[in-house]
Amino acid sequence: MPPVKPRSSAPLYAQIRQLIVAALAAGEWRPGDALPSEAALAARFGASAGTVRRALDELTAAHIVERRQGSGTFVATHAAPRQQFRFLRLVADDAASGFARQLLGCRRVRASADVAHALTLRTGEPVIEVRRLLHRRERPVVLDELWLPERHFEGLTAEVIEAHPGTLYALFETSFGVHMVRAEEKLRAVAATPQTAALLGVQAGAPLLSVERLAYTYGDRPMELRRGLYHTDADHYRNELN
Amino acid sequence: MPPVKPRSSAPLYAQIRQLIVAALAAGEWRPGDALPSEAALAARFGASAGTVRRALDELTAAHIVERRQGSGTFVATHAAPRQQFRFLRLVADDAASGFARQLLGCRRVRASADVAHALTLRTGEPVIEVRRLLHRRERPVVLDELWLPERHFEGLTAEVIEAHPGTLYALFETSFGVHMVRAEEKLRAVAATPQTAALLGVQAGAPLLSVERLAYTYGDRPMELRRGLYHTDADHYRNELN
DNA sequence: CAGTGGTCTAGACCACCAT
DNA sequence: TGGTGGTCTAGACCACTGC
């Protein structure tokens, strides 16, 4: 990894931030690994400790790395307890409790036009389609359908999913080297179709919260399209606005 | 305003951040005003420029102040073009366009139990209730109902609202000195009642996105409860997850 | 105890804005 | 041209972790 170009227009801390992300994308450090110390990174990039620190500050804010005073700086991982439901904003109206997962299907299909467009693939390229149901208190609350580009997820089968105890994002990390960094969601209210109503245990036509999520890995590359239908009678989608 | 306590346990930059927020809450600087320069604030708080800068960094991230290189640091205001729709995440599926406002009512009522609880009032205390409709392309898309503690909004009437060209949050700032800093929202899908359906031009039972928002002013004091029903056929609620 | 991140300082230089 | 925020440095000291 070369040192930083001195004549570039972008601030040094931004260049260092990008170089660290590039190293993460290249797999130099894996989720959960410790990064070199701030002093070591400063030496590597030929910058002062304060400048490296600023780059790490921003990566910490973006949940790309995680700092632990006294121990070091670590690559963020969806396996960490805090990150478990980082992207699932559905919470119970009363006291929270976890979800039980039920896999409905996992198969290789050809990307439809809209799936391909979202994932920047060509229509008809192979994608893996997963369908699942999440239950809370023995009742179905989320019907999820998601698509992944097959070339990054070769070998993902129902058996692999069933055998994995953690979240899907943790599985993507450990088994496929794909770490999701951020996501964009589009929410709408829709009416349950007869099929979705049956799966979620509601009447056809009942209102459901539709959540379409596009998740990105390092370098803003879209890697997962997800369409969820949330039953929001006893749960709600929680959001904070700044 | 006294200088910072040297022996306190919280970091100096956090104390300075809180002192600045307290000064904002006390009205020392109003939205749109320039704060003293970083050097002047450093002198006032008896800290170095770097420490004051860190406090301002955090206030900038929270959209409480806004920096302009070469000019100074300014108190954030909802009147600024960028902040216009900071809390309204509903965007059109195609090209964006603005909203037209229609006031349905503004009256003084007694707080119901849930409204009072959200605003930390006692049940029956006077609140101002506002109801409006937002239109896009001549079609109603948002039915809004909101409640404000009367003691902070004395004199808020339909005429005042109709006469104000900007957003409600800008009006709250200029006429009542209440600046909203952040908000929490709870989203669900609900079925339109006959009344709401008529106002939004949909069938009774049609799915609507219900958005309950609690907005806070400086010091995390809740100042507005808002319940919106969004018609999401040609619009969606956009969210970014980090 | 050594090594790590967390805080705080002092100062230099640059980029931008207003006048 | 003077004042403002933006970047970058060098170094001191503290708090915490793990051996």
Side-chain angles (χ1 to χ4, degrees), chain A residues 17 22 27 31 44 61 66 76 93 96 124 146 156 166 173 182 187-188 210 222 228-229 236:
Chain A
R17 172 170 43 72
R44 164 166 167 173
E66 184 187 328
D93 291 343
L146 57 98
L156 179 60
E173 258 181 37
R182 66 176 197 91
L187 281 68
R188 350 173 79 95
S210 156
L229 289 174
H236 61 268

Side-chain angles (χ1 to χ4, degrees), chain A residues 45-222:
Chain A
F45 295 120
S48 76
T51 301
V52 166
R53 187 165 181 79
R54 168 137 188 201
L56 291 177
D57 279 342
E58 296 184 359
L59 293 173
T60 302
H63 297 111
I64 290 176
V65 303
E66 184 187 328
R67 287 178 152 134
R68 292 178 219 146
Q69 179 172 161
S71 339
T73 305
F74 299 81
V75 183
T77 168
H78 286 279
R82 289 182 184 178
Q83 305 239 354
Q84 288 283 11
F85 297 112
R86 203 174 109 201
F87 289 160
L88 180 52
R89 305 286 269 259
L90 194 70
V91 299
D93 291 343
D94 48 36
S97 65
F99 292 98
R101 296 180 296 263
Q102 179 190 355
L103 186 61
L104 299 179
C106 176
R107 57 193 187 124
R108 184 177 176 283
V109 299
R110 303 208 158 269
S112 62
D114 53 343
V115 168
H117 180 259
L119 297 175
T120 63
L121 304 174
R122 273 181 287 276
T123 302
E125 276 198 78
V127 293
I128 295 174
E129 178 184 277
V130 179
R131 298 179 73 236
R132 351 128 75 189
L133 213 40
L134 299 185
H135 302 256
R136 180 156 13 225
R137 294 195 201 82
E138 317 294 328
R139 297 180 60 88
V141 285
V142 175
L143 172 60
D144 251 347
E145 206 165 10
L146 57 98
W147 296 270
L148 305 158
E150 199 209 23
R151 69 162 169 274
H152 291 103
F153 292 89
E154 274 176 35
L156 179 60
T157 62
E159 292 69 36
V160 170
I161 294 175
E162 298 274 26
H164 187 266
T167 65
L168 279 181
Y169 288 144
L171 171 65
F172 296 168
E173 258 181 37
T174 55
S175 299
F176 304 95
V178 177
H179 175 84
M180 301 301 185
V181 168
R182 66 176 197 91
E184 296 170 354
E185 291 192 334
K186 293 180 183 180
L187 281 68
R188 350 173 79 95
V190 301
T193 64
Q195 294 82 3
T196 59
L199 286 164
L200 284 167
V202 298
Q203 301 278 340
L208 296 174
L209 182 61
S210 156
V211 180
E212 179 175 299
R213 176 193 304 167
L214 191 55
Y216 297 81
T217 186
Y218 299 123
D220 263 343
R221 287 182 304 156

